[in-house]
Structure formats: C-alpha cells, structure tokens
Amino acid sequence: MSHERRPARPLRFDDPARSAAYWERVRRIVDQAPPLTDDQRARIRAAFCTSTTSSAAPPKAAA
C-alpha cells in the first residue's frame, strides 16, 4: 500500500520539513495497522451516513 498515490495532506506545521515528517509518521503507523473487518467498515460508514435529524429529539414545547 505504501506505493499507492496518496492525496495531498494539509499543512500540519508551519515548517514544511516538520509537517512532512509528521505525515510520514502517520503513514508508517497506518501501514502497520491490520486491515479493517467488514463489521468495522460498516460501523464507520453508518456513523458518517446516518442522518442527524432523524436521531435528534424533538424540541420541547414552551410552558
């Protein structure tokens, strides 16, 4: 996976060398992580695809 083209990363620090070192460290950590299971992928997808309006409680009536 380390040979894939990755999207540009945001500038993390003002110093470009420090920012590049930070993102390289992140890449190394991610590359060492085990792959996600289908259940983990489904839970992450559901967390981002769930509508916030359907889970919000209705407003309380004024007294």
Side-chain angles (χ1 to χ4, degrees):
M1 181 187 260
S2 61
H3 299 291
E4 290 180 15
R5 173 126 168 83
R6 296 182 189 247
R9 299 290 183 205
L11 187 62
R12 180 71 176 168
F13 301 102
D14 291 334
D15 177 15
R18 186 174 178 204
S19 189
Y22 171 83
W23 287 114
E24 182 56 35
R25 180 173 173 253
V26 169
R27 283 186 204 100
R28 284 194 315 267
I29 292 168
V30 169
D31 287 345
Q32 292 175 4
L36 295 174
T37 65
D38 288 340
D39 183 57
Q40 289 170 319
R41 279 192 197 92
R43 288 173 187 258
I44 292 169
R45 191 175 299 119
F48 286 98
C49 295
T50 303
S51 173
T52 57
T53 57
S54 65
S55 63
K60 292 185 179 184

